[in-house]
Amino acid sequence: MIGLSEADVRMCAGFPSATADAGGSGQIWTYQRTVQRGNLNVVIPTLAAGAIPTVGGSLNVNPGGYCNTQLRMVDGRVAEVAYAGDNNTPNNRDALCVSTVDACVAYARQHRQVRTGATSR
């Protein structure tokens, strides 16, 4: 995504959820994404047997989360990308943020081929 213009980012990621002026460091655009996935909730019944303490509880596997993909724009182009939020999955770091970046990388590849006249086979 580094180097994409503001117009390119709007085309591949849409309009930002929020923007902030970073003074001499340009602007920061934030893309917020909330993921509500199907959860697996397992409830362990409470068991008590005489002097044995009570045992019970619950387990929540693969809960939802959220991601803020933050882009620093300097002179009208992406200069830096960072992530914030509860965006990890059990197997991958920053996994909930990947869709914004993936869409823009695909967009950039497609438009680079159009500009150079190359085609993929």
Side-chain angles (χ1 to χ4, degrees):
M1 286 186 71
I2 304 296
L4 288 180
S5 71
E6 290 180 1
D8 288 337
V9 173
R10 286 187 191 106
M11 289 298 294
C12 64
F15 288 87
S17 308
T19 61
D21 184 17
S25 298
Q27 281 191 323
I28 297 174
W29 290 12
T30 300
Y31 289 87
Q32 298 174 339
R33 179 171 185 243
T34 301
V35 176
Q36 303 212 1
R37 295 174 275 193
N39 292 334
L40 171 62
N41 291 310
V42 178
V43 177
I44 302 167
T46 302
L47 302 172
I52 299 174
T54 302
V55 178
S58 65
L59 171 68
N60 187 359
V61 179
N62 209 17
Y66 69 94
C67 172
N68 292 333
T69 301
Q70 298 168 159
L71 310 177
R72 183 184 306 274
M73 298 295 201
V74 176
D75 297 327
R77 297 208 172 268
V78 177
E80 182 181 4
V81 179
Y83 306 121
D86 180 13
N87 54 27
N88 296 334
T89 62
N91 298 323
N92 295 305
R93 185 168 187 217
D94 298 326
L96 301 183
C97 297
V98 171
S99 62
T100 301
V101 173
D102 282 352
C104 287
V105 168
Y107 177 87
R109 284 182 181 148
Q110 178 184 7
H111 284 79
R112 182 179 62 221
Q113 289 176 350
V114 169
R115 282 187 223 114
T116 62
T119 58
S120 61
R121 294 182 184 203

